[in-house]
Amino acid sequence: MRTLWRIISGPFRWCWRLLNFIREFILNLFLIFIIVVCVGIYLQLHRSAPEPGKGALLVDLTGVVVEKPSVNNKLRQIGRELLGASSNRLQENSLFDVVDMLRQAKSDGNITGLVLSLKDFAGADQASLQYIGKALREFRDSGKPIYAAGDSYNQAQYYLASFANKIYLTPQGAVDLHGLATNNLYYKSLLDKLKVNTHIFRVGTYKSAVEPFLRDDMSPAARDADSRWLGQLWQHYVDTVAANRQITSDQLFPGAQAMVAGLRSVDGDTAQFALANKWVDTVASRVAIEAEMTKAFGWNKQKNAFNAVSIYDYQTPRQPQKGGQIAVIFANGAIIDGPETPGSVGGDTTAGQIRDARLDPDVKAIVLRVNSPGGSVSASEMIRSELEAARTAGKPVVVSMGGMAASGGYWISTPANYIIASPSTLTGSIGIFGVINTFEDSLGSIGVHTDGVATSPLADLSMTKALPPEFSQMMQLNIENGYKNFITLVGKARNKSPEEVDKIAQGHVWVGSDAKTNGLVDQLGDFDDAVAKAAELAKLQQYYLNWYLDEPSLLDMVMSQTSAAVYAHLPVMIQAFLPVPAAQISALFSTQANAFPKLNDPQNRYAYCLTCGDVQ
């Protein structure tokens, strides 16, 4: 019997031991991985930067430039080296770190010039490009040369390249100048087919954020408003680049028909077309370009490349902290209730940071950097009231507007002593809306119905039933009251009557230059101007900036960088199974559809600009 039992139980014991071995092996591998990562991070954080030799600063930006990255530069560098996420075109680079490096390099004796290698640069909003361009111009004006080299340039890449003393293009390359466009998906017909009832509550002729639910195309009012600000953004782009290239705006972009004719005249050779239009200075092979860079900066035998240090490896010294402290607080992304999440402005988090700055005796002034399309009215009001309390406490408040400060982004800006916007900032969009979807008809079409009792029509709210008329009336009254409060706040802040504000409100989006004309901002400028104004109002002769940025923990960094590495490859793997047009449509739908789920106002009231961030 025992022999029989051994025969039967033997395979099971063997399988159990094998499973235990596999489990322990996997856990040990994971432990070794964590140890290696932690040791690597420690060495990266504590290593001393090697003394660079003379050569160029290689601006080889990868991904996008944003004002407030989810992970700071040092941790991104570790992620690039340990986890190989450097190819991710969604990698975020801090605008202010990039500008600081360019300004440091300007006065660094080891940096003798600058090379723009932007093939992996995915872009930034126009206000950020202008700020980087300002730093590039300062570098060039210091007497150090700037070269741009690339196989091709998209519009964002070419904007920065235009600040170079000399632009190189390879023989099969192109400069893609085509203009700007904004497109949204409209799904009224889809909602009708699905029998979804969308209840819209809004104030503002130009408040187009809800139009995708109401129409299958853009309304004439929205088309007129968007055409104006989009045309102005493009004109700002053309004027700047043309001035950099020392040609006229018409020479830079003569129009679609003239460009077709010009391309035909050179037999479709895009590189020669760019050369003939003076978009670039030299068409040459990579080998020839490298020879030119070697002539300018010398050859590094160890790296087998011309002498240069990547912007990701360039070390900037910590600035001495002297004088009064100016707090820099970011409102970057959609405004939501609760704590901050990556890519959004948490009402609780941002209001808490402003409160900390208000109560800190070392903080003498506050600069609120706003780059937001708006969002929750409740969260916007929480931030606004805290900013007003800081001003009332005697601390000057200056708002610096980035690429956009629209709707709720403008709401939170109203208490400032002074508002500075870029000429290409998208702002205004003063209006409020609410959206509630119900599915009673969708469910009814498949035989599912909802019924019950309630003590009041206002209690009988369900997404599976029609909205009670009394609730709809109260919701519209609430939205109208919110709009009245909005224009009253703006009027009080800008010394205008509510009637005067209403004429420039109604959800209308303005670029910074128009906003200055309409009295919505005080000055056209950039972040440097905002800091200088804050120091002036606080009467500070010497000052330093205290950046209110949350530093992630070691575990947060490891998990964030690991997920970034996975994310860099996963979408490509998924989209590989889709036809290219289907993958592009899927990405577009995802981008637009994801805007609304982030919004969580308890009263379903939103001050949000849908089209402000979707310019290509």
Side-chain angles (χ1 to χ4, degrees), residues 87-252:
S87 62
N88 184 8
R89 286 180 64 80
L90 297 181
Q91 176 180 318
E92 296 178 339
N93 302 275
S94 167
L95 167 66
F96 302 102
D97 286 346
V98 170
V99 170
D100 283 348
M101 289 180 193
L102 294 176
R103 287 176 170 167
Q104 169 65 23
K106 176 184 66 175
S107 54
D108 187 340
N110 287 316
I111 300 297
T112 57
L114 189 148
V115 177
L116 295 169
S117 177
L118 304 171
K119 61 185 177 67
D120 293 321
F121 175 49
D125 61 56
Q126 197 172 114
S128 297
L129 291 175
Q130 289 170 350
Y131 194 40
I132 297 173
K134 176 183 178 181
L136 290 173
R137 184 181 290 111
E138 292 170 357
F139 185 97
R140 188 185 64 196
D141 291 346
S142 72
K144 297 180 180 181
I146 299 178
Y147 303 99
D151 297 318
S152 62
Y153 300 91
N154 64 28
Q155 286 185 161
Q157 294 166 354
Y158 186 65
Y159 183 93
L160 298 184
S162 70
F163 289 89
N165 299 82
K166 194 169 186 178
I167 303 178
Y168 293 90
L169 181 68
T170 56
Q172 300 301 316
V175 177
D176 180 20
L177 292 182
H178 54 264
L180 300 176
T182 177
N183 289 287
N184 292 313
L185 297 177
Y186 294 81
Y187 16 82
K188 180 181 183 300
S189 293
L190 173 64
L191 296 175
D192 289 344
K193 289 179 180 178
L194 296 175
K195 300 184 184 301
V196 175
N197 296 316
T198 301
H199 307 272
I200 303 294
F201 311 92
R202 65 168 172 170
V203 179
T205 303
Y206 301 96
K207 202 63 187 170
S208 58
V210 296
E211 286 191 354
F213 299 100
L214 297 173
R215 304 173 57 93
D216 286 327
D217 59 0
M218 181 182 284
S219 69
R223 186 178 302 278
D224 175 70
D226 288 5
S227 295
R228 177 179 175 83
W229 63 256
L230 196 67
Q232 289 174 309
L233 282 185
W234 178 239
Q235 196 59 52
H236 288 159
Y237 178 99
V238 170
D239 289 346
T240 300
V241 174
N244 289 342
R245 297 298 300 161
Q246 298 182 348
I247 56 178
T248 66
S249 298
D250 289 338
Q251 283 178 287
L252 179 73

Side-chain angles (χ1 to χ4, degrees), residues 11-79:
F12 288 99
R13 286 199 303 269
W14 183 85
C15 290
W16 182 253
R17 290 169 182 166
L18 178 63
L19 287 173
N20 272 332
F21 172 77
I22 294 173
R23 176 178 59 84
E24 292 175 359
F25 180 74
I26 292 174
L27 288 174
N28 286 335
L29 281 181
F30 182 73
L31 178 62
I32 292 171
F33 172 76
I34 293 295
I35 292 173
V36 169
V37 169
C38 291
V39 170
I41 291 170
Y42 178 83
L43 293 176
Q44 288 289 334
L45 291 175
H46 292 82
R47 72 176 181 179
S48 58
E51 184 69 23
K54 288 187 179 295
L57 177 65
L58 181 65
V59 182
D60 50 348
L61 290 172
T62 296
V64 296
V65 169
V66 298
E67 297 188 356
K68 186 181 180 183
S70 329
V71 183
N72 68 34
N73 263 356
K74 187 69 176 177
L75 300 183
R76 274 198 311 279
Q77 181 180 341
I78 296 169

Side-chain angles (χ1 to χ4, degrees), residues 71 130 258 271 369 408 419 432 531:
V71 183
Q130 289 170 350
R369 178 68 175 187
I419 300 177
I432 294 179
V531 171

